Structures are given as structure tokens and as C-alpha cells.
Amino acid sequence: MRRSAVERQLEILGEACARLAKLEPALIGSVINLKLAIDLRNRIIHGYDSG
């Protein structure tokens, strides 16, 4: 249950970062680990067990 809760919070964080990056593309290079958060979200959402 804890793992599921953590995964959900990471999904929310990554989605927020993705939306922020779309609104302000210049932030991708200036916000530390923004791209990493987005990539992690995509990996969780789209099945990290498959690869």
C-alpha cells in the first residue's frame, strides 16, 4: 500500500512538471531534475516492468 501511495505521488509530481514544461519550455534547462521527474512519471505510468 505504501509503494502504491509513493508511486501515485510521483505520478502527480511528474504530471505537474510536464504541464509546467509545456507552459514554460525555458524551465526545462533551468529547473533541476525537471526532465528526470517527467521521465520517471512516464516510466511509472507506461509500465516500467515491460523493459
Side-chain angles (χ1 to χ4, degrees), residues 17 20-21 24-36 38:
C17 289
L20 180 63
E24 294 292 334
L27 291 177
I28 293 174
S30 62
V31 175
I32 298 170
N33 295 327
L34 182 71
K35 181 80 168 105
L36 182 65
I38 295 168

Side-chain angles (χ1 to χ4, degrees), residues 4-50:
S4 179
V6 169
E7 287 176 351
R8 180 68 180 132
Q9 292 303 310
L10 290 171
E11 291 170 2
I12 292 168
L13 175 67
E15 181 63 26
C17 289
R19 290 180 185 200
L20 180 63
K22 284 182 183 176
L23 289 173
E24 294 292 334
L27 291 177
I28 293 174
S30 62
V31 175
I32 298 170
N33 295 327
L34 182 71
K35 181 80 168 105
L36 182 65
I38 295 168
D39 291 344
L40 178 62
R41 177 251 178 217
N42 289 337
R43 195 164 174 167
I44 290 171
I45 293 281
H46 299 295
Y48 55 87
D49 295 288
S50 62

